[in-house]
Amino acid sequence: MSDSSTTAARAALGVEIRHWRRACVDLGDLEVSASPAAWKELESYLGLNLRRSLTSVVVRLTAHADRALFSLKAAETVGELAAVRSELLMLRRRYSRAEAVIDFYGDAVNTRTNPVVASVLRGLDALAVYSMDQVLRPLNIDTPPALCYLDKGLGASILRAGARLWDSSLSPAAAIKITRHNLWQPTSLVHETGHQVAHLTGWTTELGTALYKALAPHNTLLAEVWRAWAAEVAGDVYAFALLGYAPVPALATVVDGPAQLVYRMLPGDPHPISALRVQFNVALCRSWYGAGPWDVLGAGWLARYPLGQAPREVAEIMAESMPLLPTIVDVCTRQPMQAFHGVPLAALADPRRLAPAELDRLAQRSGGSLYTSNHLQRLEPLRILALSVLRGLESQNTPTEMRTWLSRLGGERPIAA
């Protein structure tokens, strides 16, 4: 390569690297990703933690750009310029990944631009942390912060705290998607925090092994199937242990659909067959509470979706699983687990506290103070949530009491981050 070509190549590389360095610096302006008003709606610790994490992403990325500029300045040969070019391409790839991280969290924070929605989401943040704390605190495991955000779609989801992100950094909070249609019956929140708890305790793997051991004497293929479903089973069981029957109608609504969807079983899908998942949740309630409205829901699903509508393989799994559901419930809720320091989940989160009679007793004792008592708000937020969701099943309108209570739970006037 001639001197003029080398000079031109050096100049072109300089233009590109400086462009990407400016882009890296601009990525650090977090008020571009989310409005200042939305950032102020975060609880102080969560806001500081999140901003610190995202700023670290930008600092590392900008340092990479600076190294590329230094390498360009020092490069003298064609080979050294080629190495700078490779470093530039790596910088571009890292920028795209970092941009994905910051955009994800920016979009999540930006759902708090409306002050009313922001106060409700802060309440859900508090519920999420409380739901994890019930099991993690007795195990001496730190409870991570939670960032709830509103989004479209049918089902909730979680990006776990500590999960590896697109740029290989770690997620600073449990980011939990709350769907718009379920904002006023947000029981899926606890299913998602169950995933976080299962990850931190190692419960999922242990539960999968326990399910396999319990089912293998009956059918090894069935045992493998339930082991593969362990993660989602854990989420459903966790929601049941902390909310009782309340999550089941919402779950049935989300997984409902035409028969081919309800009986769909895709390779690698961690979710149980929808029709069987509903029956498993009904079995959880029946095992702990006896007869109740869950039986009506389960029978309705069996009548609506006869096994004859299912593909042969799915029908076989359904038929083999149904009589074994009580065994599966016992494994999930009553069997001691090393993940829980040798006790069953029910010893840490007792489903009996969510029995209909217990929720009725809570309502009677609290009277008109159910949604206004600071004492109840601190001690019984999950039982209040369960009771509110069950009450709301008969309502056609937005439950104003729930909205007001969630706003109070999150604090009406947050401390700016």
Side-chain angles (χ1 to χ4, degrees):
M1 184 182 291
S2 64
D3 289 344
S4 60
S5 297
T6 301
T7 300
R10 183 191 302 277
L13 283 171
V15 168
E16 287 194 64
I17 295 173
R18 287 190 293 272
H19 165 82
W20 288 110
R21 189 189 187 283
R22 289 193 301 271
C24 294
V25 173
D26 290 344
L27 205 56
D29 187 353
L30 300 180
E31 273 66 31
V32 172
S33 299
S35 71
W39 279 108
K40 289 178 181 179
E41 295 291 352
L42 293 178
E43 185 272 333
S44 58
Y45 174 78
L46 173 61
L48 289 171
N49 195 42
L50 182 56
R51 292 180 74 101
R52 188 182 301 116
S53 176
L54 298 182
T55 298
S56 296
V57 168
V58 173
V59 167
R60 290 192 296 270
L61 193 64
T62 305
H64 187 163
D66 287 336
R67 288 195 300 273
L69 283 171
F70 181 82
S71 297
L72 177 63
K73 184 177 181 181
E76 296 181 353
T77 68
V78 172
E80 289 170 340
L81 287 175
V84 174
R85 173 69 178 166
S86 296
E87 196 168 357
L88 167 63
L89 295 178
M90 175 59 74
L91 174 64
R92 288 164 55 106
R93 288 193 293 272
R94 286 191 62 192
Y95 175 88
S96 296
R97 295 166 186 163
E99 186 179 55
V101 171
I102 289 174
D103 280 354
F104 171 81
Y105 284 107
D107 289 346
V109 171
N110 232 12
T111 63
R112 304 188 179 218
T113 302
N114 181 299
V116 175
V117 174
S119 65
V120 170
L121 290 175
R122 284 196 309 276
L124 293 175
D125 292 344
L127 281 174
V129 170
Y130 187 90
S131 72
M132 291 185 281
D133 210 40
Q134 298 309 289
V135 170
L136 294 180
R137 179 182 292 181
L139 302 177
N140 293 317
I141 298 174
D142 291 337
T143 300
L147 170 66
C148 294
Y149 63 98
L150 204 57
D151 206 351
K152 60 184 180 298
L154 289 178
S157 62
I158 184 172
L159 178 61
R160 294 192 318 267
R164 190 70 62 181
L165 298 174
W166 301 274
D167 68 336
S168 295
S169 64
L170 300 180
S171 173
I176 302 171
K177 170 189 168 183
I178 304 296
T179 56
R180 294 180 187 278
H181 76 93
N182 260 342
L183 181 58
W184 306 119
Q185 51 177 16
T187 52
S188 58
L189 173 77
V190 185
H191 171 97
E192 301 306 332
T193 60
H195 286 312
Q196 181 74 62
V197 169
H199 172 71
L200 291 173
T201 60
W203 182 33
T204 299
T205 301
E206 187 178 5
L207 178 60
T209 300
L211 288 170
Y212 182 86
K213 288 181 179 179
L215 299 177
H218 301 276
N219 185 314
T220 55
L221 176 60
L222 189 70
E224 286 288 2
V225 168
W226 277 92
R227 176 159 62 182
W229 289 339
E232 291 301 323
V233 168
D236 282 357
V237 171
Y238 198 80
F240 166 75
L242 292 173
L243 296 176
Y245 173 57
V248 184
L251 169 69
T253 297
V254 168
V255 301
D256 200 359
Q260 63 265 30
L261 181 63
V262 166
Y263 282 124
R264 184 175 65 181
M265 183 176 173
L266 299 176
D269 187 351
H271 297 85
I273 301 160
S274 294
L276 184 54
R277 187 176 177 187
V278 170
Q279 298 303 329
F280 169 63
N281 276 264
V282 168
L284 283 165
C285 297
R286 185 183 299 124
S287 176
W288 283 90
Y289 308 141
W294 39 87
D295 295 310
V296 176
L297 188 153
W301 268 65
L302 289 175
R304 190 186 310 163
Y305 302 109
L307 271 183
Q309 296 179 345
R312 182 177 58 82
E313 297 84 355
V314 172
E316 290 175 359
I317 289 172
M318 288 283 298
E320 291 277 351
S321 293
M322 289 295 288
L324 294 172
L325 289 180
T327 298
I328 296 170
V329 169
D330 284 346
V331 170
C332 293
T333 58
R334 296 183 174 94
Q335 182 168 316
M337 295 277 168
Q338 289 307 307
F340 304 134
H341 293 186
V343 302
L345 174 63
L348 300 174
D350 189 349
R352 291 173 295 186
R353 298 188 70 247
L354 283 302
E358 290 299 316
L359 292 180
D360 288 343
R361 194 170 293 117
L362 171 64
Q364 291 166 6
R365 283 202 316 267
S366 59
S369 67
L370 181 67
Y371 296 108
T372 59
S373 166
N374 290 330
H375 178 72
L376 288 176
Q377 180 176 292
R378 288 194 305 273
L379 294 183
E380 301 285 8
L382 292 174
R383 292 213 296 166
I384 294 173
L385 173 63
L387 182 59
S388 301
V389 167
L390 291 173
R391 285 176 169 180
L393 294 177
E394 303 301 322
S395 175
Q396 302 180 56
N397 302 311
T398 298
T400 55
E401 286 181 327
M402 161 113 43
R403 182 171 66 186
T404 302
W405 175 70
L406 284 172
S407 295
R408 290 185 70 250
L409 193 64
E412 294 288 354
R413 298 177 65 84
I415 302 171

